[in-house]
Amino acid sequence: MKELPKTIFEDKELLNLHPRDIADTIAELPESERSMAFMTMSGRLKGEVFFYFEREQKEDILSSLGSSEIADILETMAPDERTAVFQDFPDKVIKDAVNFLSDEERRIAMELIGYEPGTVGRIMTPYYIQAYPEWTVKRTLDHIKKNGQKAETLNYIYVVDKEQRLIDDIRIGAILMAEEDDLIADIVDKESVQLIATQHFEKAIDVFQKYDRPALPVVTDSGVLVGIVTADDIFDQIEKRDTEDIQKIGGLSALEFPYKSIGLLTMIKKRAGWLVILFFGEMLTASAMGYFEEEISRAVVLALFVPLIISSGGNSGSQAATLIIRALAIGEIRLRDWWYIFRREMFSGLMLGVILAVIGFLRIFVWQRAGFYDYGEYWGYIALTVGVSLVLIVLWGTITGAMIPIVLKKLKLDPATSSAPFVATFVDVTGLIIYFSVALLVLSGKIL
């Protein structure tokens, strides 16, 4: 580990690192030394580094600071990063810290906090460069030189009217290539793509992916420009969204904070709910087997293939659910494609079932012929029962796994909640019913 000097300014090499690397270096120090090392940095660097600490580390540092010192850190942070940090703060700390901000920063902070969590307004920044149609290129460049240092990005210049309504955004390259006397109004192409501040950030992700833009303007419902969202902000939101989806698919509630920052009791609560639900679901499996207790007692050999049968159905359902959930998340498929998905997965499930059925049939055939196990006089019918059951159960599991996310999406619910464990449990229960129903049909009058 790199040893942090008493005063951070004594190590020029460390100062040249990215703020994320500085945060990682400080985080490796003993808890008693973190705050002191952090406070040796300059004001602006503090804000940049603080954003990259884990929630637990932020709390440790904040607990050793007063409200005015906290405000000094927040004052230097980018507005969108500051809003993200506020989500980890207790309400009282937020209130005290905001009161110590400058009038302008307090106004910006309160505006961003005022938007609903998960909306574009929460992740936008109000620092951008705007120009007016009647300005010349020379005046615009002078304005950029004077005010551009604080802007989040200079890739685009945003053109507004006197009411601050967005007219267009212009690439900086177009302005640099124009003549100094050209008017901004003559450069605009009216091809601006914009976001609404009250939209969910999922919409922003879709727009960024569609148009491949480094930044997008954010407007109110009446078209007034209030901020911009940059690609790095969207990358953070994509990571959070995908993390939540993966956690839900794994059969637990989404974690609001990093793994190391979650308390043990909170972690248990997040995981226990789904486990209890799935446990009750699996109890239905025992009930289903109890219903066929007489058949099992007369043909114990059927019980040998229960794990094989139900796991195949559950696995095929989990596969289909995972594919459809991801395809929905990245926009590869829409709800209107449900019939196409149904037909495709029905064919896939049928073929996958046939493949497993052939393997299952051959397994019984080889074991019987080689003398590894004696399935009795009607071994061929047992093999047929297993084969037909596998085809039907894998087909059913695949269709179920594909359709449940579609149904949840239609009901305005998160498709990721149709987790793989849920689909597997559902298919386990129904798979047993299919298996013993086929057995009754094929083996009736023989061993049943």
Side-chain angles (χ1 to χ4, degrees):
M1 184 192 79
K2 186 177 181 65
E3 183 178 353
L4 202 70
K6 293 181 179 179
T7 302
I8 200 168
F9 302 108
E10 295 176 8
D11 190 342
K12 300 299 183 183
E13 180 183 348
L14 187 62
L15 278 176
N16 292 329
L17 295 178
H18 188 278
R20 178 59 180 265
D21 296 322
I22 298 177
D24 290 342
T25 302
I26 294 177
E28 293 178 7
L29 293 173
E31 184 178 336
S32 58
E33 300 178 22
R34 287 179 194 161
S35 298
M36 183 64 69
F38 177 74
M39 292 305 295
T40 62
M41 292 184 290
S42 63
R44 185 163 189 81
L45 185 59
K46 284 180 188 174
E48 294 175 351
V49 171
F50 185 78
F51 176 73
Y52 291 105
F53 285 129
E54 298 291 342
R55 178 172 179 261
E56 184 178 317
Q57 296 156 4
K58 289 176 183 175
E59 290 178 348
D60 290 340
I61 291 175
L62 290 177
S63 65
S64 64
L65 304 178
S67 297
S68 59
E69 294 171 313
I70 294 173
D72 289 340
I73 297 171
L74 299 176
E75 185 86 25
T76 62
M77 296 181 71
D80 53 337
E81 294 179 354
R82 181 170 57 215
T83 304
V85 169
F86 277 154
Q87 296 179 21
D88 294 341
F89 280 19
D91 291 341
K92 185 180 185 304
V93 175
I94 295 175
K95 180 180 178 181
D96 292 344
V98 168
N99 287 335
F100 279 95
L101 294 174
S102 64
D103 292 343
E104 177 64 13
E105 292 299 328
R106 186 189 307 121
R107 180 188 64 79
I108 293 172
M110 295 307 296
E111 284 182 358
L112 294 182
I113 295 173
Y115 288 104
E116 291 291 329
T119 60
V120 171
R122 276 292 189 104
I123 61 175
M124 71 180 182
T125 176
Y127 294 145
Y128 54 88
I129 296 296
Q130 67 179 36
Y132 295 90
E134 63 272 17
W135 283 10
T136 63
V137 168
K138 183 179 185 306
R139 181 175 179 182
T140 302
L141 290 173
D142 290 340
H143 179 68
I144 293 172
K145 291 177 182 178
K146 182 178 179 180
N147 302 286
Q149 185 174 4
K150 202 172 184 180
E152 183 82 3
T153 177
L154 294 176
N155 288 325
Y156 286 89
I157 307 303
Y158 301 93
V159 184
V160 298
D161 61 19
K162 293 181 179 179
E163 284 73 38
Q164 301 300 305
R165 288 191 296 265
L166 180 66
I167 297 174
D168 198 7
D169 53 9
I170 307 175
R171 290 182 181 273
I172 188 65
I175 294 178
L176 294 175
M177 296 299 293
E179 299 295 333
E180 288 189 344
D181 295 333
D182 289 347
L183 295 178
I184 293 298
D186 297 329
I187 303 176
V188 297
D189 55 18
K190 301 293 181 68
E191 295 181 357
S192 172
V193 180
Q194 58 199 36
L195 301 169
I196 307 298
T198 53
Q199 288 176 326
H200 197 274
F201 72 80
E202 293 274 1
K203 175 64 176 178
I205 293 175
D206 293 340
V207 176
F208 267 93
Q209 290 175 334
K210 181 176 181 180
Y211 294 99
D212 195 23
R213 298 282 292 269
L216 285 173
V218 181
V219 300
T220 64
D221 292 333
S222 58
V224 174
L225 180 64
V226 290
I228 64 172
V229 172
T230 55
D232 61 322
D233 298 322
I234 291 300
F235 292 152
D236 292 339
Q237 297 304 319
I238 290 175
E239 180 182 4
K240 291 179 181 178
R241 181 197 65 180
D242 292 348
T243 298
E244 289 182 0
D245 287 348
I246 291 171
Q247 289 167 349
K248 290 177 181 178
I249 290 172
L252 68 154
S253 301
L255 305 180
E256 290 84 2
F257 303 109
Y259 179 86
K260 292 169 63 177
S261 301
I262 297 290
L264 179 60
L265 290 179
T266 302
M267 181 69 75
I268 292 173
K269 290 178 182 179
K270 292 290 185 179
R271 299 167 69 172
W274 264 111
L275 281 179
V276 170
I277 293 172
L278 295 173
F279 180 76
F280 277 106
E282 291 293 356
M283 288 174 65
L284 296 176
T285 303
S287 299
M289 291 191 68
Y291 181 80
F292 293 101
E293 182 179 4
E294 182 180 348
E295 285 76 12
I296 295 175
S297 64
R298 291 163 59 187
V300 179
V301 69
L302 293 176
L304 297 176
F305 298 98
V306 168
L308 173 72
I309 294 293
I310 62 175
S311 64
S312 297
N315 291 339
S316 64
S318 299
Q319 280 186 341
T322 302
L323 288 172
I324 298 304
I325 290 169
R326 185 56 182 165
L328 284 170
I330 62 178
E332 289 182 348
I333 56 176
R334 298 287 187 269
L335 288 179
R336 62 175 179 269
D337 299 321
W338 73 270
W339 180 238
Y340 166 80
I341 297 168
F342 181 88
R343 288 184 286 116
R344 182 183 178 90
E345 291 303 316
M346 182 175 65
F347 180 77
S348 297
L350 183 62
M351 297 306 296
L352 291 170
V354 169
I355 292 172
L356 296 185
V358 170
I359 296 174
F361 188 94
L362 289 176
R363 194 271 191 193
I364 295 175
F365 174 80
V366 172
W367 257 243
Q368 180 71 26
R369 290 299 187 185
F372 296 147
Y373 190 88
D374 184 11
Y375 292 101
E377 178 184 359
Y378 298 103
W379 68 268
Y381 290 96
I382 294 174
L384 180 62
T385 298
V386 171
V388 172
S389 296
L390 281 169
V391 172
L392 295 177
I393 291 171
V394 171
L395 173 61
W396 170 244
T398 302
I399 293 175
T400 300
M403 290 296 104
I404 287 180
I406 299 293
V407 172
L408 289 177
K409 184 77 171 179
K410 180 67 176 177
L411 296 175
K412 310 293 186 184
L413 299 174
D414 188 352
T417 55
S418 61
S419 60
F422 171 75
V423 172
T425 301
F426 178 75
V427 176
D428 283 353
V429 178
T430 53
L432 278 175
I433 297 173
I434 293 173
Y435 175 46
F436 286 110
S437 297
V438 172
L440 280 173
L441 183 63
V442 176
L443 299 173
S444 181
K446 301 175 181 64
I447 60 176
L448 292 179

